[in-house]
Amino acid sequence: MKVLVTGVTGMVGEGVVLECLGDPGVERVLVVGRKPCGIEHAKLTEIVHADFFDLSPIAERLVDFDACFFCLGVSSVGMSEDDYRRKTYDLTLTMAKLLAENNPGMTFCYVSGSGTDSTEKGRSMWARVKGKTENDLLKLPFKAAYMFRAGYLHPTPGAENTHRYYRVLSWIYPIFRRLLPNHVSTLRELGAAMIRVSRSGYGKPIIEVKDIVRLARS
């Protein structure tokens, strides 16, 4: 399987790409980012491209992939709805439309968030924007598309891009896992679940935390 991954300089994307590199069924990984990811591996190649709103200079290299794991995202904290929409909805759909056109056999996996609002009408700004992003991704002509509504994601040991507060919370993670099993998973489970649905499909397009854990263990 040939996989394209975005957001690898962030914690989520790094965790997902490490899972891909460790899976013998993934033969090639292309990382697309705005700065170098710092990971070297025989299966990994990289495109550094500053403007994700204009992909025309690299479009011919974004072909012949079986899956895209779209892990690029920003926090909505301190942002206006217009700015958050541009950096979440507009940016994601720009790349997704190009990939759908050039890779009709692709499975597209999008890292969304628990609590995303599919109605696009709720009070939470980030949830509305994520909901519209999910809805419009599901309309594109991919082979399949899955929206991963992750909750708390426990980082992969040894990863470079783990936020400091996750390290502080590591001691309490087993308690979170026991008390909130439908809201907690690991980045290794997220990556494994993405690989699993890309190989074998899944019965629904919205992947909640409990589905992530089930897929990773199947």
Side-chain angles (χ1 to χ4, degrees), residues 19-217:
E19 198 65 22
C20 292
L21 295 175
D23 189 303
V26 177
E27 62 185 89
R28 178 189 172 199
V29 178
L30 174 65
V31 170
V32 182
R34 287 171 287 199
K35 57 184 179 180
C37 69
I39 300 173
E40 295 185 1
H41 192 280
K43 293 197 292 189
L44 186 147
T45 56
E46 185 172 18
I47 297 174
V48 177
H49 181 70
D51 187 1
F52 271 51
F53 292 99
D54 179 12
L55 297 168
S56 56
I58 63 170
E60 64 182 17
R61 300 176 65 184
L62 307 181
V63 297
D64 194 29
F65 285 92
D66 302 298
C68 173
F69 300 159
F70 198 95
C71 306
L72 184 63
V74 296
S75 169
S76 65
V77 176
M79 297 183 69
S80 69
E81 183 161 353
D82 286 345
D83 284 345
Y84 184 67
R85 177 189 172 99
R86 173 173 168 76
K87 294 179 179 179
T88 299
Y89 176 85
D90 293 349
L91 186 149
T92 303
L93 268 292
T94 295
M95 175 169 274
K97 288 176 181 178
L98 176 66
L99 293 176
E101 180 180 350
N102 293 341
N103 300 268
M106 173 178 277
T107 295
F108 191 92
C109 296
Y110 176 63
V111 178
S112 187
S114 180
T116 291
D117 178 15
S118 296
T119 72
E120 307 176 27
K121 297 178 181 179
R123 297 179 63 183
S124 174
M125 178 271 281
W126 77 264
R128 291 195 306 271
V129 174
K130 284 282 192 178
K132 180 168 179 57
T133 305
E134 286 187 354
N135 290 340
D136 286 0
L137 286 172
L138 291 170
K139 296 174 185 176
L140 295 178
F142 289 111
K143 174 186 174 182
Y146 298 98
M147 309 296 111
F148 282 76
R149 293 186 176 180
Y152 173 86
L153 287 164
H154 193 63
T156 300
E160 295 293 328
N161 296 318
T162 301
H163 301 302
R164 183 177 299 175
Y165 59 82
Y166 280 94
R167 294 191 176 101
V168 174
L169 289 172
S170 290
W171 68 272
I172 205 171
Y173 162 70
I175 300 173
F176 282 163
R177 187 88 191 219
R178 183 182 298 271
L179 296 179
L180 303 167
N182 291 331
H183 300 277
V184 177
S185 65
T186 67
L187 275 171
R188 296 194 68 175
E189 288 170 331
L190 177 65
M194 287 182 165
I195 294 169
R196 178 72 176 182
V197 299
S198 298
R199 285 186 181 137
S200 306
Y202 197 57
K204 58 180 183 177
I206 304 298
I207 311 295
E208 303 285 358
V209 174
K210 61 183 179 181
D211 300 300
I212 292 172
V213 174
R214 183 182 301 119
L215 283 160
R217 294 177 178 177

